[in-house]
Amino acid sequence: MQKVTLIPGDGIGPEITQVVKDIFEYMKVPIQWEEVEAGEHVIKDYGTPLPEYVIASIKRNKIALKGPITTPVAKGFRSVNVTLREQLNLFANLRPIKSLKAINSKFENVDLIIVRENTEDLYKGIEYKIEDIATSIRIITRKASEKIGWFTFNYAKKNNRKKVTAVHKANILKLGDGLFLDAIRNISKEFSDIEYEEKIVDNMSMQLVMNPEKYDVIVAPNLFGDILSDLAAGLIGGLGLAPGANIGDDVAVFEAVHGSAPDIANQGIANPIAILRSSIMLLDYLNLSDYAKQLESAIEKSLFDKNVLTPDLNGNGNTLTLKNKIISFLS
Ligand code: NAI
């Protein structure tokens, strides 16, 4: 049986990954979880938020489902998420943003794919500070830009997508984003069936909140991709709904777009849909598409009942009521 590394993570992570475990068990999905612990809460035992055995488990199984992990702001240890992506060379962060019929959001037909470069840009974390002057170095390489470019266009082709929009700030970051754009533009020429356009990130942000239906696949350097992902999650009803995958050449780590949500942790009200949709991506990746379709359909049906929805969706329910409703549609 396929083994899958499971990292519950911090904050709401254990509550929402438990929902995936319960539902997969109910569905008798033919995988075996290998549960490992990473995050702020393991530092006291391991002296690090990312113990070596966690990386070893993912390298062995080549696939993982990960809950969110807390990163201290303006101090403390480096992001575990960033370190994992770097150490496993998970170069693409794939974030589908798709409207759900049952959810009343401002837009009904959003169907975007955000492809975020996942290994460089400001996330290299190279910073210096001398007295009151701080410098943060932004790294953009042709190698990583080409890698994400090929990934994006191959994904678009395989999934019958019509348009790729490259997002940048090359009017100001002439060298860094100039290089990123040059790499993506060259690759676009190999895909004559796919429309290609470029948008400056500030304009793109406005376009997305005005006319999200006009966009299809968006490719962006790391930081812009990160910010646009949360913005796009807001278009379909919030962070509780947006899934993601970190993809490498032969390793993939699936996780929601959202973070550890410390403001609602341990209250039983976290929305499990984003991590469940990430687990659907995982099932598709493992060619377990029948299970993926079954779960997707159960989720869609369950979201029509306001009484079971979590508070972030203006519902009167909680994590458990939503899980039970989904299970009721799996029989
Ligand atoms: P966040 O995504 O954790 O929360 C933002 C807001 O959305 C909060 O009000 C939260 O309650 C709400 N929210 C998020 N997920 C939800 C869910 N499933 N159900 C209901 N409401 C939900 O972002 P924030 O607060 O900026 O970051 C908290 C921590 O998470 C930080 O330490 C940050 O570094 C970390 N983080 C980790 C990520 C990861 O592990 N991949 C990604 C983003 C942030």
Side-chain angles (χ1 to χ4, degrees):
M1 198 167 341
Q2 170 75 47
K3 275 192 176 174
V4 177
T5 301
L6 178 73
I7 307 172
D10 291 317
I12 60 171
E15 301 165 61
I16 55 172
T17 50
Q18 186 62 47
V19 173
V20 179
K21 280 200 286 183
D22 292 347
I23 289 182
F24 274 31
E25 192 182 337
Y26 184 85
M27 295 175 79
K28 298 192 170 52
V29 175
I31 64 159
Q32 190 186 340
W33 298 114
E34 186 172 295
E35 197 162 322
V36 296
E37 291 289 340
E40 204 177 27
H41 66 285
V42 306
I43 298 178
K44 60 180 186 322
D45 293 329
Y46 292 91
T48 166
L50 183 57
E52 200 45 54
Y53 90 107
V54 174
I55 301 266
S57 167
I58 304 174
K59 280 189 175 159
R60 200 168 46 244
N61 297 327
K62 302 200 180 313
I63 183 157
L65 182 71
K66 178 187 155 298
I69 292 181
T70 298
T71 310
V73 173
K75 61 175 184 229
F77 59 86
R78 185 158 187 240
S79 162
V80 169
N81 307 305
V82 172
T83 310
L84 259 183
R85 291 165 190 166
E86 250 176 31
Q87 289 207 11
L88 299 166
N89 194 23
L90 302 168
F91 61 88
N93 195 339
L94 181 64
R95 293 174 153 182
I97 306 283
K98 195 168 188 324
S99 298
L100 288 151
K101 275 199 193 74
I103 302 296
N104 272 332
S105 56
K106 291 201 179 74
F107 301 97
E108 284 174 1
N109 298 314
V110 179
D111 185 6
L112 294 170
I113 302 291
I114 295 185
V115 182
R116 165 190 175 196
E117 199 290 320
N118 218 15
T119 61
E120 53 183 27
D121 194 338
L122 286 168
Y123 292 71
K124 285 281 186 200
I126 305 169
E127 294 191 297
Y128 305 96
K129 185 162 179 262
I130 301 170
E131 295 184 352
D132 280 346
I133 300 177
T135 309
S136 306
I137 297 192
R138 185 167 185 265
I139 308 275
I140 303 284
T141 64
R142 186 169 294 278
K143 191 173 171 201
S145 303
E146 283 180 348
K147 189 106 177 152
I148 204 67
W150 282 112
F151 176 88
T152 304
F153 278 93
N154 282 325
Y155 179 93
K157 188 173 174 185
K158 192 168 164 208
N159 292 280
N160 206 19
R161 294 279 174 165
K162 306 287 177 236
K163 182 165 86 171
V164 169
T165 306
V167 176
H168 65 93
K169 189 73 186 174
N171 49 334
I172 304 298
L173 303 166
K174 292 177 194 292
L175 298 184
D177 275 4
L179 175 55
F180 178 79
L181 273 189
D182 187 57
I184 307 284
R185 198 180 292 147
N186 283 339
I187 292 164
S188 76
K189 293 177 187 147
E190 308 284 326
F191 294 81
S192 52
D193 293 351
I194 299 171
E195 187 188 338
Y196 173 68
E197 64 175 10
E198 296 167 358
K199 285 262 182 298
I200 297 177
V201 64
D202 28 357
N203 178 25
M204 187 73 218
S205 310
M206 187 274 290
Q207 295 287 341
L208 277 179
V209 296
M210 296 287 288
N211 305 302
E213 305 91 339
K214 285 192 181 158
Y215 296 90
D216 191 348
V217 177
I218 292 170
V219 59
N222 207 337
L223 181 62
F224 301 152
D226 192 4
I227 296 169
L228 290 180
S229 302
D230 274 39
L231 183 153
L235 302 172
I236 59 160
L239 279 170
L241 300 172
N246 301 284
I247 311 267
D249 284 324
D250 63 348
V251 181
V253 176
F254 295 80
E255 65 175 339
V257 170
H258 65 71
S260 55
D263 54 335
I264 57 161
N266 303 314
Q267 295 174 33
I269 56 167
N271 187 343
I273 301 297
I275 193 85
L276 280 168
R277 289 177 114 186
S278 309
S279 78
I280 291 174
M281 294 173 76
L282 178 148
L283 289 170
D284 278 327
Y285 183 87
L286 289 174
N287 291 319
L288 294 169
S289 302
D290 287 349
Y291 292 93
K293 282 198 191 82
Q294 221 187 320
L295 180 51
E296 194 170 12
S297 152
I299 288 174
E300 274 170 16
K301 289 178 194 156
S302 68
L303 293 176
F304 284 100
D305 184 354
K306 226 174 158 120
N307 285 321
V308 303
L309 297 186
T310 46
D312 59 304
L313 299 176
N314 299 320
N316 307 315
N318 53 44
T319 313
L320 190 63
T321 56
L322 186 48
K323 177 186 87 175
N324 288 340
K325 190 73 180 182
I326 295 168
I327 288 179
S328 77
F329 285 114
L330 286 168
S331 314

